[in-house]
Amino acid sequence: MKRRNLLNFAAPNTRKTVAVAVPRPASAGAAQPAVNWRMATSWPKSADIVFGAITTICQRVSTATGGRFTIVPYAVDEIVSAPGILDAVSEGIVECGHTSGHYYLDRNPSLAFAASVPFGLNPQQQNAWLYEGGGLEAVQNLYADFGILSFPAGNTGTQMGGWFRRKIETVADLEGLKMRIPGLGGRVMSKLGVDVRDIPAHKIATALIDGEIEATEWIGPHDDEKMGLHRAAPFYYYPAWWSPSETFDLLVHRNSWDTLPPEYQEILKTAAMEANVMMVARYHIANGEALQRFVVGDTQLLPYSDAILTAARDAAFELYEETAARDATFRQIYEPWKQFRTRVYRWNRVNEIGFAQFAFNSTD
């Protein structure tokens, strides 16, 4: 894999704005070509908020081009499996795909930054890093090694900390725990003694009920409820320190992108940005409603102890330092990202936490 110098794209003082122009709809008489694409995705259609954002992208593109540019989305396994999207787009099997960088850490661990990293950035902070902090340029350079252009195209918001069949009160309680948790979160949990299992999404609930695993994470209350996880385990923990946000990517085959008229390119970028904003807004509403149903039911809502959170944070940054020491590409993103994180944390500690500590506790 080519190793580009990412410092030019992710330096702490970078202030290059990622501007997305709002395109004018293509006029009926414009001499624009008819373009028909397929989009493979990592998601089932039952994940309605995620798939709804994907549908929004496709609808906006069609509407803005007068039906001249169409994209047909396909659910997971209709064309390729969830982790098969990267290769499908890279090889031109499909023109574009919707997925998460977490599926490809074995290909390049730096792709975790495209999605989220433990004790990283919340949705607003993640967007600030991507659009104004050099993050998008850095992520696009990672995907460029696969012949792909990428755009943020959805965010789950801050997730929940998973379902457990027994209480987890101390770090020692994690030792030997069989848990389904992917990505860097799984690698951190492994450092804490967890027996990390790799189980596809459609088998999670059954594995939890049957005792193949004792704990799992998925996304948040809305999607967890659809999967029936609240019927498989009684203890629901928070926060998901491994996913303070989760950005999904629209991946585009570079050669296919280059053949698009510039107007179509701008329309697709704008549609992806809309999906990125709207997905987290929809999750804010749906997750709150689902969590309330859990609370009035049999679910026990519990926070992770400070001891577990501290141990997880220390293990996470130990993992980052170890990875940066042996992987130059990871280091070139991680170092400026870490500086950005420090700056935005300092600001949000004053403006957001100062507000939330009072206001959020003053409601019923």
Side-chain angles (χ1 to χ4, degrees):
M1 183 182 296
K2 300 176 184 176
R3 299 297 187 192
R4 291 172 171 78
N5 184 351
L6 301 175
L7 293 175
N8 292 331
F9 300 96
N13 293 325
T14 297
R15 287 296 178 268
K16 180 180 177 182
T17 299
V18 180
V20 177
V22 179
R24 293 178 293 102
S27 63
Q32 295 286 13
V35 177
N36 301 293
W37 280 10
R38 297 190 304 165
M39 180 193 295
T41 77
S42 292
W43 325 113
K45 291 183 180 178
S46 59
D48 57 332
I49 293 181
V50 178
F51 221 85
I54 293 167
T55 301
T56 294
I57 294 173
C58 300
Q59 290 175 339
R60 290 291 184 269
V61 166
S62 178
T63 299
T65 62
R68 302 293 291 173
F69 182 12
T70 63
I71 303 174
V72 178
Y74 292 84
V76 62
D77 294 330
E78 288 186 342
I79 296 179
V80 293
S81 66
I85 305 301
L86 181 70
D87 285 337
V89 178
S90 178
E91 296 167 12
I93 296 172
V94 293
E95 292 82 7
C96 59
H98 194 278
T99 188
S100 168
H102 275 151
Y103 284 114
Y104 316 111
L105 300 191
D106 60 333
R107 311 286 289 275
N108 189 332
S110 303
L111 285 171
F113 291 100
S116 69
V117 297
F119 297 97
L121 307 175
N122 68 24
Q124 286 180 293
Q125 294 166 345
Q126 176 79 349
N127 281 340
W129 179 67
L130 286 168
Y131 294 127
E132 293 292 333
L136 180 54
E137 293 92 339
V139 169
Q140 287 179 335
N141 266 267
L142 296 175
Y143 281 119
D145 284 338
F146 302 96
I148 287 172
L149 183 62
S150 68
F151 302 100
N155 194 303
T156 65
T158 303
Q159 298 185 10
M160 287 292 287
W163 296 89
F164 292 75
R165 295 182 63 177
R166 57 183 171 88
K167 287 186 177 181
I168 302 297
E169 297 175 333
T170 69
V171 177
D173 291 335
L174 296 172
E175 187 68 36
L177 178 79
K178 295 178 292 186
M179 183 175 185
R180 184 268 182 194
I181 175 171
L184 290 185
R187 298 181 186 186
V188 173
M189 278 294 201
S190 183
K191 276 180 167 285
L192 299 180
V194 171
D195 179 3
V196 174
R197 303 294 180 92
D198 183 13
I199 296 175
H202 66 282
K203 295 183 178 180
I204 292 175
T206 301
L208 194 56
I209 292 171
D210 293 345
E212 181 183 348
I213 54 176
E214 302 166 278
T216 187
E217 63 79 46
W218 181 227
I219 296 177
H222 176 75
D223 291 305
D224 293 1
E225 184 179 39
K226 282 181 169 293
M227 193 175 284
L229 298 181
H230 58 299
R231 294 190 291 270
F235 305 110
Y236 199 23
Y237 276 83
Y238 66 92
W241 46 263
W242 54 82
S243 288
S245 69
E246 176 85 11
T247 299
F248 295 147
D249 290 319
L250 172 65
L251 306 185
V252 182
H253 183 244
R254 184 74 215 203
N255 290 344
S256 298
W257 172 264
D258 290 341
T259 64
L260 287 178
E263 183 179 19
Y264 287 11
Q265 292 176 347
E266 292 302 315
I267 288 169
L268 184 53
K269 286 195 292 184
T270 302
M273 181 174 281
E274 179 184 358
N276 195 44
V277 173
M278 290 307 299
M279 185 187 292
V280 70
R282 290 167 181 159
Y283 267 122
H284 268 303
I285 301 300
N287 280 333
E289 293 172 349
L291 183 62
Q292 183 61 27
R293 289 191 289 272
F294 291 158
V295 170
V296 299
D298 297 327
T299 297
Q300 294 188 46
L301 187 63
L302 299 170
Y304 282 116
S305 67
D306 287 347
I308 289 177
L309 291 174
T310 298
R313 181 193 60 198
D314 293 347
F317 280 89
E318 180 180 87
L319 175 65
Y320 304 154
E321 297 294 337
E322 292 170 351
T323 307
R326 65 174 182 269
D327 187 320
T329 300
F330 187 94
R331 182 171 62 253
Q332 289 170 352
I333 294 181
Y334 169 63
E335 292 295 341
W337 173 90
K338 183 169 61 172
Q339 295 177 37
F340 176 89
R341 175 184 179 274
T342 296
R343 293 196 306 275
V344 77
Y345 268 32
R346 286 172 178 167
W347 161 233
N348 288 166
R349 188 182 300 129
V350 174
N351 73 322
E352 293 197 6
I353 301 303
F355 169 76
Q357 284 179 332
F358 176 78
F360 287 14
N361 290 326
S362 63
T363 60
D364 295 334

